[in-house]
Short mmCIF file of all heavy atoms in Angstrom, two decimals:
data_model
loop_
_atom_site.label_atom_id
_atom_site.label_comp_id
_atom_site.label_asym_id
_atom_site.label_seq_id
_atom_site.Cartn_x
_atom_site.Cartn_y
_atom_site.Cartn_z
N VAL U 149 107.77 42.97 68.87
CA VAL U 149 107.13 43.09 67.52
C VAL U 149 105.81 43.84 67.67
O VAL U 149 105.01 43.32 68.60
CB VAL U 149 107.00 41.76 66.75
CG1 VAL U 149 106.36 41.99 65.42
CG2 VAL U 149 108.32 41.06 66.60
N LEU U 150 105.37 44.70 66.88
CA LEU U 150 104.09 45.31 66.83
C LEU U 150 103.53 45.02 65.50
O LEU U 150 104.17 45.20 64.41
CB LEU U 150 104.16 46.84 67.03
CG LEU U 150 104.87 47.39 68.27
CD1 LEU U 150 104.77 48.92 68.30
CD2 LEU U 150 104.22 46.76 69.55
N VAL U 151 102.25 44.57 65.48
CA VAL U 151 101.57 44.30 64.19
C VAL U 151 100.36 45.28 64.16
O VAL U 151 99.53 45.28 65.05
CB VAL U 151 101.08 42.83 64.14
CG1 VAL U 151 100.36 42.63 62.79
CG2 VAL U 151 102.17 41.83 64.32
N LEU U 152 100.33 46.07 63.14
CA LEU U 152 99.21 47.02 63.03
C LEU U 152 98.30 46.55 61.92
O LEU U 152 98.70 46.47 60.73
CB LEU U 152 99.77 48.45 62.58
CG LEU U 152 100.86 49.02 63.50
CD1 LEU U 152 101.30 50.38 63.04
CD2 LEU U 152 100.49 48.95 64.96
N ASP U 153 97.05 46.30 62.18
CA ASP U 153 96.10 45.71 61.30
C ASP U 153 94.81 46.52 61.26
O ASP U 153 94.51 47.38 62.12
CB ASP U 153 95.81 44.29 61.56
CG ASP U 153 95.26 43.50 60.50
OD1 ASP U 153 95.37 43.95 59.25
OD2 ASP U 153 94.66 42.49 60.70
N GLU U 154 93.91 46.16 60.41
CA GLU U 154 92.61 46.84 60.29
C GLU U 154 91.52 45.75 60.18
O GLU U 154 91.63 44.74 59.51
CB GLU U 154 92.56 47.75 59.00
CG GLU U 154 91.24 48.47 58.79
CD GLU U 154 91.35 49.40 57.60
OE1 GLU U 154 92.13 50.32 57.66
OE2 GLU U 154 90.55 49.22 56.64
N LEU U 155 90.42 46.04 60.81
CA LEU U 155 89.27 45.08 60.80
C LEU U 155 88.00 45.84 60.63
O LEU U 155 87.64 46.70 61.42
CB LEU U 155 89.17 44.31 62.17
CG LEU U 155 88.16 43.25 62.32
CD1 LEU U 155 88.47 42.10 61.36
CD2 LEU U 155 88.17 42.68 63.79
N PRO U 156 87.25 45.61 59.58
CA PRO U 156 85.97 46.34 59.32
C PRO U 156 85.00 45.99 60.38
O PRO U 156 84.78 44.82 60.84
CB PRO U 156 85.52 45.73 57.96
CG PRO U 156 86.78 45.19 57.33
CD PRO U 156 87.50 44.68 58.46
N LEU U 157 84.33 46.96 60.93
CA LEU U 157 83.38 46.74 62.06
C LEU U 157 82.19 45.84 61.54
O LEU U 157 81.66 45.11 62.37
CB LEU U 157 82.79 48.10 62.48
CG LEU U 157 83.60 48.85 63.55
CD1 LEU U 157 83.06 50.25 63.68
CD2 LEU U 157 83.55 48.07 64.85
N ARG U 158 81.84 45.87 60.29
CA ARG U 158 80.81 45.05 59.83
C ARG U 158 81.07 43.59 59.86
O ARG U 158 80.23 42.67 59.71
CB ARG U 158 80.52 45.41 58.35
CG ARG U 158 81.57 45.16 57.40
CD ARG U 158 81.30 45.77 56.01
NE ARG U 158 82.40 45.47 55.03
CZ ARG U 158 82.60 46.07 53.87
NH1 ARG U 158 81.63 47.01 53.58
NH2 ARG U 158 83.45 45.79 53.10
N ASN U 159 82.41 43.24 60.02
CA ASN U 159 82.82 41.83 60.03
C ASN U 159 82.90 41.28 61.47
O ASN U 159 83.34 40.10 61.65
CB ASN U 159 84.13 41.61 59.33
CG ASN U 159 84.04 41.87 57.79
OD1 ASN U 159 82.95 42.10 57.31
ND2 ASN U 159 85.16 41.78 57.13
N CYS U 160 82.64 42.03 62.40
CA CYS U 160 82.76 41.58 63.86
C CYS U 160 81.62 42.15 64.65
O CYS U 160 81.01 43.16 64.35
CB CYS U 160 84.09 42.02 64.41
SG CYS U 160 84.44 43.75 64.42
N ALA U 161 81.36 41.48 65.82
CA ALA U 161 80.28 41.84 66.69
C ALA U 161 80.79 42.74 67.72
O ALA U 161 80.70 42.46 68.99
CB ALA U 161 79.64 40.56 67.25
N ILE U 162 81.38 43.89 67.39
CA ILE U 162 81.91 44.90 68.33
C ILE U 162 81.01 46.11 68.22
O ILE U 162 80.93 46.73 67.10
CB ILE U 162 83.35 45.18 68.10
CG1 ILE U 162 84.19 44.02 68.26
CG2 ILE U 162 83.82 46.30 69.03
CD1 ILE U 162 85.66 44.19 68.04
N ASP U 163 80.41 46.54 69.24
CA ASP U 163 79.51 47.65 69.25
C ASP U 163 80.33 48.83 69.80
O ASP U 163 80.81 48.99 70.91
CB ASP U 163 78.29 47.48 70.24
CG ASP U 163 77.35 48.62 70.08
OD1 ASP U 163 77.40 49.42 69.12
OD2 ASP U 163 76.54 48.77 71.06
N VAL U 164 80.61 49.80 68.83
CA VAL U 164 81.35 51.04 69.18
C VAL U 164 80.53 52.28 69.08
O VAL U 164 79.88 52.51 68.01
CB VAL U 164 82.57 51.15 68.18
CG1 VAL U 164 83.27 52.51 68.50
CG2 VAL U 164 83.53 50.02 68.37
N ASP U 165 80.28 52.96 70.17
CA ASP U 165 79.56 54.20 70.17
C ASP U 165 80.49 55.33 70.35
O ASP U 165 80.95 55.59 71.44
CB ASP U 165 78.48 54.14 71.28
CG ASP U 165 77.52 55.34 71.15
OD1 ASP U 165 77.86 56.39 70.59
OD2 ASP U 165 76.40 55.18 71.62
N LEU U 166 80.87 56.02 69.34
CA LEU U 166 81.89 57.08 69.41
C LEU U 166 81.41 58.23 70.29
O LEU U 166 82.20 58.90 70.94
CB LEU U 166 82.27 57.63 68.01
CG LEU U 166 83.05 56.60 67.18
CD1 LEU U 166 83.21 57.15 65.78
CD2 LEU U 166 84.35 56.27 67.76
N ASP U 167 80.16 58.50 70.31
CA ASP U 167 79.61 59.64 71.08
C ASP U 167 79.78 59.34 72.61
O ASP U 167 80.25 60.19 73.38
CB ASP U 167 78.13 59.89 70.83
CG ASP U 167 77.93 60.40 69.44
OD1 ASP U 167 78.82 61.06 68.95
OD2 ASP U 167 76.83 60.13 68.88
N ASP U 168 79.57 58.11 73.04
CA ASP U 168 79.72 57.70 74.39
C ASP U 168 81.16 57.48 74.83
O ASP U 168 81.58 57.76 75.97
CB ASP U 168 78.86 56.44 74.76
CG ASP U 168 77.34 56.77 74.72
OD1 ASP U 168 77.07 57.95 74.76
OD2 ASP U 168 76.63 55.80 74.53
N ASP U 169 81.99 56.96 73.82
CA ASP U 169 83.33 56.57 74.11
C ASP U 169 84.31 57.53 73.74
O ASP U 169 85.59 57.20 73.59
CB ASP U 169 83.68 55.18 73.41
CG ASP U 169 82.84 54.02 74.03
OD1 ASP U 169 82.27 54.23 75.10
OD2 ASP U 169 82.59 53.09 73.22
N TRP U 170 83.92 58.74 73.43
CA TRP U 170 84.82 59.78 72.84
C TRP U 170 86.07 60.00 73.71
O TRP U 170 87.13 60.24 73.19
CB TRP U 170 84.04 60.99 72.66
CG TRP U 170 84.88 62.14 72.06
CD1 TRP U 170 85.19 63.34 72.75
CD2 TRP U 170 85.37 62.28 70.76
NE1 TRP U 170 85.90 64.10 71.93
CE2 TRP U 170 86.02 63.57 70.70
CE3 TRP U 170 85.40 61.45 69.69
CZ2 TRP U 170 86.67 63.94 69.52
CZ3 TRP U 170 86.02 61.91 68.53
CH2 TRP U 170 86.63 63.08 68.44
N GLU U 171 85.93 60.03 75.03
CA GLU U 171 87.02 60.37 75.90
C GLU U 171 87.96 59.20 76.21
O GLU U 171 89.00 59.33 76.84
CB GLU U 171 86.53 60.97 77.24
CG GLU U 171 85.81 62.30 77.00
CD GLU U 171 85.35 62.87 78.37
OE1 GLU U 171 85.59 62.28 79.37
OE2 GLU U 171 84.86 64.03 78.34
N SER U 172 87.63 58.03 75.69
CA SER U 172 88.49 56.87 76.02
C SER U 172 89.66 56.81 75.08
O SER U 172 90.68 56.10 75.44
CB SER U 172 87.65 55.52 75.80
OG SER U 172 87.38 55.31 74.40
#
Side-chain angles (χ1 to χ4, degrees):
V149 181
L150 305 180
V151 183
L152 310 182
D153 196 23
E154 181 176 297
L155 185 64
L157 276 169
R158 64 189 181 193
N159 291 356
C160 56
I162 299 178
D163 185 17
V164 175
D165 190 335
L166 291 175
D167 292 331
D168 290 343
D169 296 338
W170 179 249
E171 294 183 356
S172 70

